[in-house]
Amino acid sequence: MYLPRSLLSTLYLHLQKTHHPLSPPVLILVALEPDALCGCRILTQLLKRDYIPHKIQPIAGYGDLEKAGKNVIQPMMESNGGSGGVVVCLGVGGLVDLGGLLGIDGEEGGSSYGGVEVWVIDARRPWNLGNVFGGHPPPAQIEEGGELVNQPQLGIDGGKILRNYKPSKGGIVVFDDGDIEEDLTAERDAYLALVEMPEVEEDEDDLEGSDTEAEDEEDDSPADSRPGQKRKSWTDRDEENESSDDDDRPRQRRRSNSSSPIPDSPTRPRQRGLLSLNGPAALTSSVGSRSVSPTPGQPPKAPSARTLRRRLLKIRRKHESVLQKYYSLGASYSEPISSMMYSLASELGREDNDLLWMTIVGVTSMELYGRSSVGVAVTTQKMPASPKGWLGTRGSRIRQLLRDEVRRLNPPELSDSSFNSNRNTLPENSGIIPTTARSPTDTSIRLSPEPRFLLIRHWSLYDSMLHSPYLSARLHIWSENGRKRLHKLLAKMGVSLVQCKQSYTHMDMELKRGLRSKLLKYSDMYGLDDLVPSADTDGRDRGGTKEGWGFVRSWGWRATLSAQDVGVVVGALLEVGKKAAATLVDGSNDRGRDIKETSDEDGTQEGEEWVGRFWDAYDALEKIEELKAALPTAQLLHRAILRTGTGIIEKKQIRHLRAFRMCVVKEGPDVMLFTHPAALTKLALWVGEAISEQERETKGKLSHGGRGTPLVVAGYNEKRGVYVVVGAGGGGGGGMGFGNKQAAKERKEKREVKLKARELKRKNKEKVREQKKEARRLALRDDEDEEDETESEGSDSSSDDDSDEDEDEKSQVLGFGRNKFGNAFQEVVEETSARVRIDSFEHCVVEVKKEDLAGFLESLSTKTLVG
């Protein structure tokens, strides 16, 4: 089932009203990522205010999720002696058949859900359609005319929850951010049609589908329609012949080498008894087999059972193709979890600065991990944005709403407005990023014109620029010439190396005041158009929207941090951890001994370590002193990214295979840092952005038809003897910029130029035609061929228009540029005997045994990796 955006607070209000002291606590399952962490913080604040007990359980992957279902959720079911309850999944389970994975859908003969209601809030796409349009207990059946008929379920219409819905029996509820209601109409109709279809058997002739209906009537025999004959059902044959379907991914993510994946999501409701009847088909076929040949006086013979079966199978395959097309579009991201949770708080009237700050940090963290409407992909500038999807027009709209909320909840103080008659005298309005609070009790959130530097308040200006992924890619920081280019930029700005290597907070105040104007002056010379956002004083910020501005919060005199700073630090705590950072700083002698003494082939110990880091990051979001103490961990990680990425490019370790580029990280001082998928993803994005800029500079455009070249990075985990493989898109396609204003402007200018040229050409032809017409009159000739010239001109112009539209709309095709590594990984697993473990919630992450990596990559090179 899915909950429409307009009814977002309905289930929470019902929980609030029906909760009592004996109610079981709400179980919150949280993915190990900053956005889910911030969403969890918002939800727990709401539950605390309503005195609703809750329990948080971090989930590292599908293995952990299955264990939680077996050990925690199944005992909650009424059929197992529990009393039901609510389970909230933040960033986990959006892709899989949750009922089967958690073991609560009653497939093994038990009752379905048993009063356990699962709420699913996830930014990853595609959804598992079994959760979206199914996921509810089977309806009650009544007898009408000797047949069992399903009663309509109150409050549910085709999987959509209505306002009169009463939560009582449990089920799976997906929180819709607007995409389901707007974009999945065809998928909804196809799914519901498949659920309502009776079970139909197939044979060889049905699969070939080459015979005509007349031949079916002649060749149809009683044996073919005998109900007791054993024959493979549609589901069985689908498991063998179409096991590469994307909706089979949930089971294969847990048991990647399993030969019996779970059935397609539409068949799960059928297993509970929804019209899974062999009776009507068998009855029709048996009657047909006993019928006599028609005489001239009889009406025409009704279609045979085989003909009807083939018609039904044709309809079924049509609906299956709709679902398959949806699953094969590739990965994408939609509205962040933290933004959805803030919308819930807003509908409840609970919004405040603390919840708003958690939302801002969660939204900002999406960019740090390259998550967009084309999946995990390299961030490239000057790319047309898609109409929908994160970092496209929707992302721009969400950011504008957050800026409006900051202004609403943090109005200027009266003392400031009276003391400063001109509001532009405030530091942030004059282009200076704030580094201190306004007063000892200041905990407000402010908008700040943040440059594209990294941790600038906690590093020197030089280090902040050096470790910025944006500057690294465009100045070629990995090379000696790139470092010289950076030094030259600083020299032109009038900043000496001695000054810029001081801590930014202790730099000369005059330098900080003039920094923005100098960056604006020289950034165009180096192709750094988006280095600094627009401001009122530039005359470039129309309407005062402050597009591209960052967010900064103060905690009195203790600290002032930007949302990006917090996202970077929280991510580093999740990926590296305090203990690992201390070990890497002290030395690596003991680490090698630990590797030899312990083995962790299944990743259990590693998962437990990641869960421990979750609580450090959870506390750091609220305790500013712990957040400040973790700053060195973030700096350590980004130094390692720069060092490792520079080594990869300088040593030319990037190989260009048929469908993608690849590199392997298996040696060096920082190799242990990149055993975590998220840290390896950051490295892949750093390297991929550098390669994309090189490609753009040499060729003038991205390869693969504007999609960009995908990049595969493998990091070696010596302790477990596996490679962690991450696939990042090339940065083409939509959704990588903040809105599509620039792209639309360029297309409009090109169109105007072509229209002017076409108009001039038409006038010239008109002039020539008039001259010819005059000559004909003088020569007393016919002017019959005049029409031919007009027709040829019209056809030329129409062909030009068509080619222009093809170029403009090429990048607007649904799924263009999306990351399809998840689909490709599944296909490789099915085709090869490689020992692969797909346990991460991220579509594009997989673990491969050391010995099987070469064969795995060779097979992967033949797949389609970008939409």
Side-chain angles (χ1 to χ4, degrees), residues 39 146 172 195 202 211 222 249 253 363 373 377 420 433-434 451 461 477 500 526 552 600 652 681 701 703 763 844 847:
I172 297 173
V195 169
E202 287 185 7
D211 296 336
R249 186 185 304 167
R253 282 185 177 275
V363 167
S373 63
N420 297 320
I433 63 170
L461 176 62
I477 293 294
C500 68
Y526 293 89
V552 173
D600 184 27
K652 298 182 179 179
T681 301
K701 61 179 181 179
S703 59
K763 288 182 178 179
C844 58
E847 291 179 1

XYZ file of all heavy atoms in Angstrom, residues 39 146 172 195 202 211 222 249 253 363 373 377 420 433-434 451 461 477 500 526 552 600 652 681 701 703 763 844 847:
221
model
N 16.911 11.735 9.391
C 15.480 11.428 9.440
C 15.094 10.727 10.728
O 14.027 10.983 11.288
N -22.363 -19.693 -5.060
C -21.538 -20.889 -4.988
C -20.055 -20.626 -5.179
O -19.266 -21.576 -5.228
N 2.151 -3.341 4.853
C 3.318 -2.551 4.458
C 2.815 -1.267 3.821
O 2.042 -1.298 2.865
C 4.208 -3.338 3.477
C 4.754 -4.586 4.166
C 5.350 -2.472 2.966
C 5.508 -5.516 3.246
N -2.383 -9.235 -10.647
C -2.879 -9.828 -9.400
C -4.257 -10.449 -9.606
O -4.556 -11.525 -9.081
C -2.927 -8.755 -8.286
C -3.679 -9.266 -7.067
C -1.518 -8.340 -7.890
N 1.392 -22.890 -18.904
C 1.990 -22.714 -20.226
C 2.587 -24.020 -20.699
O 3.010 -24.850 -19.905
C 3.100 -21.661 -20.188
C 2.601 -20.246 -20.049
C 3.739 -19.263 -20.138
O 4.877 -19.698 -20.432
O 3.512 -18.068 -19.924
N 1.125 -20.351 -33.613
C -0.065 -20.929 -34.234
C -1.211 -19.944 -34.205
O -1.318 -19.093 -33.347
C -0.485 -22.210 -33.499
C 0.580 -23.284 -33.607
O 1.371 -23.225 -34.574
O 0.627 -24.160 -32.718
N -8.101 -33.197 -25.513
C -8.455 -33.220 -24.094
C -7.248 -33.330 -23.198
O -7.261 -32.814 -22.102
C -9.351 -34.473 -23.983
C -9.846 -34.720 -25.377
C -8.784 -34.253 -26.293
N 15.485 -9.133 -7.703
C 16.702 -8.701 -7.039
C 16.714 -8.907 -5.526
O 17.727 -9.250 -4.963
C 16.935 -7.221 -7.336
C 18.225 -6.705 -6.812
C 18.332 -5.229 -7.033
N 18.170 -4.874 -8.428
C 17.972 -3.648 -8.832
N 17.933 -2.666 -7.967
N 17.816 -3.385 -10.108
N 19.943 -10.434 -3.720
C 20.826 -9.593 -2.942
C 21.250 -10.295 -1.660
O 22.309 -10.056 -1.132
C 20.129 -8.273 -2.574
C 20.090 -7.294 -3.720
C 19.506 -5.976 -3.280
N 19.540 -5.020 -4.362
C 20.560 -4.256 -4.661
N 21.658 -4.345 -3.969
N 20.513 -3.399 -5.664
N 19.689 16.687 3.632
C 19.586 17.059 2.214
C 20.974 17.333 1.628
O 21.296 16.911 0.512
C 18.675 18.292 2.065
C 18.789 18.905 0.684
C 17.218 17.920 2.340
N 19.039 12.142 -9.492
C 17.962 11.468 -10.211
C 18.492 10.485 -11.245
O 17.703 9.830 -11.925
C 17.067 12.499 -10.904
O 17.816 13.210 -11.862
N 26.259 9.057 -9.336
C 26.947 9.470 -10.563
C 27.850 10.648 -10.272
O 27.667 11.384 -9.287
C 25.943 9.839 -11.656
N 22.154 48.400 12.626
C 22.629 48.398 11.247
C 21.482 48.838 10.346
O 20.602 48.049 10.032
C 23.099 46.994 10.826
C 24.281 46.536 11.649
O 25.167 47.320 11.944
N 24.291 45.262 12.015
N 31.765 34.690 4.636
C 31.105 33.558 5.291
C 31.246 33.710 6.802
O 32.324 34.030 7.307
C 31.689 32.220 4.812
C 33.164 32.089 5.181
C 31.506 32.040 3.331
C 33.721 30.714 4.940
N 30.174 33.538 7.562
C 30.246 33.703 9.029
C 31.046 32.574 9.674
O 30.877 31.400 9.325
C 28.779 33.671 9.457
C 28.055 32.993 8.350
C 28.804 33.258 7.099
N 31.657 29.251 -0.614
C 32.392 28.840 -1.814
C 32.522 27.317 -1.867
O 32.270 26.628 -0.873
C 33.764 29.518 -1.641
C 33.914 29.678 -0.163
C 32.538 29.862 0.394
N 42.982 28.018 4.269
C 42.404 28.286 2.952
C 43.053 27.397 1.895
O 42.369 26.866 1.009
C 42.598 29.764 2.599
C 42.123 30.196 1.210
C 40.619 29.992 1.062
C 42.494 31.650 0.934
N 44.448 19.211 -9.828
C 45.288 19.271 -8.632
C 46.207 18.055 -8.525
O 47.268 18.116 -7.909
C 44.386 19.372 -7.374
C 43.656 20.718 -7.363
C 45.186 19.208 -6.097
C 44.533 21.918 -7.194
N 47.810 31.957 3.267
C 46.717 31.023 2.983
C 46.920 29.679 3.672
O 45.991 28.874 3.716
C 46.547 30.833 1.487
S 47.885 29.969 0.685
N 39.707 30.521 -15.022
C 40.062 29.122 -14.813
C 38.867 28.186 -15.006
O 38.929 27.008 -14.647
C 40.635 28.935 -13.407
C 41.975 29.620 -13.217
C 42.052 30.940 -12.789
C 43.164 28.948 -13.478
C 43.274 31.570 -12.615
C 44.394 29.563 -13.308
C 44.434 30.884 -12.881
O 45.661 31.498 -12.720
N 24.399 27.751 7.597
C 25.361 27.783 8.700
C 24.594 27.878 10.013
O 23.595 28.600 10.109
C 26.324 28.992 8.566
C 27.198 29.119 9.797
C 27.185 28.851 7.329
N 37.013 -12.917 8.967
C 35.623 -12.447 8.944
C 35.101 -12.560 7.519
O 34.807 -11.567 6.861
C 35.568 -10.997 9.444
C 34.150 -10.468 9.545
O 33.238 -11.297 9.735
O 33.949 -9.254 9.420
N 48.701 6.194 -13.826
C 47.909 5.689 -14.950
C 47.376 4.278 -14.677
O 47.530 3.357 -15.475
C 48.742 5.705 -16.231
C 49.186 7.111 -16.619
C 49.966 7.126 -17.926
C 50.350 8.554 -18.276
N 51.144 8.627 -19.530
N 33.003 4.997 -2.493
C 32.160 5.777 -3.403
C 32.665 7.209 -3.520
O 32.702 7.779 -4.620
C 30.694 5.769 -2.910
O 30.214 4.430 -2.850
C 29.807 6.584 -3.837
N 32.957 17.399 -25.117
C 31.685 16.859 -24.636
C 31.943 15.523 -23.952
O 33.033 14.957 -24.038
C 30.705 16.658 -25.790
C 31.204 15.670 -26.846
C 30.191 15.489 -27.954
C 30.696 14.473 -28.982
N 29.720 14.254 -30.065
N 31.459 11.493 -23.466
C 31.321 10.376 -24.404
C 30.037 9.598 -24.135
O 29.235 9.962 -23.284
C 32.534 9.447 -24.285
O 32.635 8.947 -22.971
N 13.416 34.217 -47.262
C 13.279 35.487 -47.977
C 14.089 35.483 -49.273
O 13.639 35.983 -50.311
C 13.723 36.631 -47.078
C 12.748 36.931 -45.952
C 13.227 38.106 -45.115
C 12.211 38.422 -44.007
N 12.675 39.548 -43.169
N 24.604 0.021 -6.504
C 25.822 -0.099 -7.305
C 27.010 -0.619 -6.497
O 28.158 -0.405 -6.892
C 26.166 1.254 -7.922
S 26.394 2.563 -6.705
N 30.251 -7.130 -3.437
C 31.496 -7.722 -2.942
C 31.815 -8.957 -3.783
O 30.950 -9.802 -4.006
C 31.370 -8.110 -1.466
C 31.270 -6.923 -0.524
C 31.132 -7.359 0.927
O 31.134 -8.580 1.168
O 31.018 -6.495 1.807
